[in-house]
Structure formats: structure tokens, C-alpha cells
Amino acid sequence: PIRTTTTTTTSSSNGSTTPSTKIHADNLLQVAKRLKDVDEKSSSAVSDLLVTKEACQTAFESLSETERTALQNIHGRIQAFAQMQRKSVVDMEMDIPGGKAGHTVSPCKAAGCYAPGGRYPLPSSVLMTAVTARAAGCETVVLASPKPAPITLAAAHLAGVDAFLCIGGAQAVATMAYGLDATDGEKTIHIPPCDVICGPGNQWVTAAKSIVNGKCGIDMLAGPSEVLVICDDTANAKIVAADLIAQAEHDVVARAILLSTSAETIDAVDKEVKTQVNALPEPNRSTALEALKQSFAVKCESIEQCVAISDDIAPEHLEIQTKDSQAVANMCANYGGLFIGTNAAEVLGDYGAGPNHTLPTGGTGRYTGGLSVFNFLRIRTWMRVDDASESQGMVSDSVVMARLEGLEGHARAAEARKL
């Protein structure tokens, strides 16, 4: 096991102790070696599981001017959108009988961010998670990403992460959930237990997030990526095909779905998909071809039927490419992210138009949304009674309701406030 249980003294009045779970550093190193997160021969210390801030800065400075500018532009747009979200919810208060009630909005202390590092490096996920956590006001931002490419290190530098674990999978999630304290020579390593863990990942990451949920918060349990396009006879078949393929190349279990009122458009898109997918380099071509095996198109009788089917699926990404895309978009109820019109490519959302690209999959868009600053914020309520005489009506109501529920102790606690 990579977890270990130690005993720490609590602040309870009777001096009792409570078990506190931390990650066992040596076991974590062995797991990281066995699962090829780090090189088995050259990695001999726990400190080898962390990337230094200096290494991230060096990677950023080694980028070409074009690459650095693009990364900075994407960072700026993501940050601006997240900061706007943060400003949208504020502390508030209202009058209640004899006093005030309200809520406060405050960030959690430590955020854990996961960025996949498997088939492709995803520096965009570094920015989408870490920048959002920082905009929410989190004091500490921990990033985990296995085998990070130089561009991933550069993104981590720009996002200003406090600690970078170069491990992945369940072991990364566990480390962020339970924390890590270790001594490596003169180096002291401290990864605090994170209050919230976010970010996309494979089935092992998702399973681990489901296990630690409750010990800490999570953003969502993400499944395979998916895109659904609603289009009519005005759609550009080349563009629709390109958007379907862009999603299909993510993973062999990704899904690309087309709903259209035009059989001619479906045929044209199908031809374009075959042409374009075979023009991709490897491994993109093979990945997309495998994903397209579970993808499909539906000829619908009307736009309304397209919308109804889409709402049943609640896709992660929903594109509208019709004569009046905004009107159709207004009809749609269930989705993760909405992309309205031919020019609003889903890939622009992937790479930092502003809204987050970490979105609900597998139909969960019916009841939740994508990653945002709200995942890292706590909205906590409070009340205060300053004038006991003014609160007597509220006291009487509480006594009545408590006895209707059969909770006599509640009733007597309220009666103690009677004048």
C-alpha cells in the first residue's frame, strides 16, 4: 500500500487521538517506478517525483516566441473568464426577524489538479485546472502529470503551481488526497492534503477520484470524451467532419455524433470524414478510426427532434451549425459546453477561448456543469439575532414545527429563547 496511518493528537478536550493517513513516500516511489511514471534506474529518491520550479521556468523560457505568446494568450483568456466567474458570486446578507442572515464565499485552501500525460501531452489541462483554482483564491495549487513534456512544464510555470508531481494514475490522486511528508537528504518535501481534486484522466484516475471523494471534494467523474453536432442543409460538410474527427482523435473510446435534418448533409459529412481521417498522421489516424466505430449519425425529421435526442444524450460538447444557430441553441437544455455557429469550433474551447474545457460526460450534463471557480468555493451561511423580542414569532414557529416533527428537544431549545 502507498498509504500509511500515523497517530496525531487532536484538539479535543479529553486529549484523545485520531488516526491521520498520509502517503508512504518509499512505497510511492516504488509504485511510480513500477508503473513507469519515472525511470526505474535513475530515480532513487522521493524528490525525483517532483519537478522543480526552476525546471518549469527553464522549459517556459526555452519555448519559441510563437509558442510562448500562444501559451500566454491562452492563459490570459482562461484567467479572465475564471476571474469574471469569481466576481459573479459575493457575500450577502438580509434582514430576518430580530437580526441578520447571509452567506460568505471563500475558497478552499489547497487544490489538486490532474493533467493527463498519456497519448498526448495536455498543457491546456494544466491551465484549465490550475489557473481556475488560483482565480478562485486557493492558497496552494498542486499539479500532477506523468512524464511531463517541456510544454507541460512551461504551462505549469505560467499557471504558478506550488508543487508539481510527475506521477499519474491512482497514485497521483492518492498523493493529492492524503498528502505527502518526506525528508530526502536535506530536502523536506510537503504536499498538503488537497481539499478539492480536479481534472480529466483515464479510468484509473476516475476510479481513484471516486474512492477519495468524501475525503476531499472532486470536480466530476469524467468518462470518454464526446461531441454532438446538430446541423441542417446549410452546414459546411468539411467543417462538420473536421470537428467530429477532432474529438475522435482524443481516445479510442471517444464518441462523435451527428444529428441532421438533411440526408444529403449526412452523406457529404460521411465522405469528408473518410477523406480527412485517412490524411491524419499516426497515431492520430488509428485512434480516430477506432473511435469512429462507436460513433454514429441520425437523420431527424425536424430540428426539434434533433434537440430532443441531444437532450437525452446530454453530450459533453454540443455544436450547433444551422441556419439560425442561436435560436436552436436556445432550445437545448442538456450539455457540458455549447458551441454556437460554424465559427465557434469546439477546439477553440479546448484551447482557451475562456470557458473551461473540463466538462461533464456520459449524460451527467443533465444535472451538473463543467469545472469552474465554483468547484473551489465554499458558500457558507450564517445568522445572528440581535433583538430577542423581534425574533419571538420565529421562535414560536420553530416550537410548533419541532413538535410536529416529534423532536421535543428541538422544541425546548427554541422555548428557551422565549421571553
Side-chain angles (χ1 to χ4, degrees), residues 359-382:
L359 299 169
T361 62
T364 56
R366 292 179 293 106
Y367 58 84
T368 191
L371 181 67
S372 71
V373 296
F374 306 119
N375 289 95
F376 307 99
L377 296 178
R378 301 168 296 171
I379 299 179
R380 297 178 291 182
T381 60
W382 58 269

Side-chain angles (χ1 to χ4, degrees), residues 20 25 28 40 101-102 116 153 155 175 221 257 263 274 309-310 349 380 408:
S20 174
L28 177 62
E40 193 166 356
L153 303 183
T175 303
L221 298 174
I257 301 167
K274 291 176 182 176
I309 294 172
S310 176
R380 297 178 291 182
E408 185 59 28

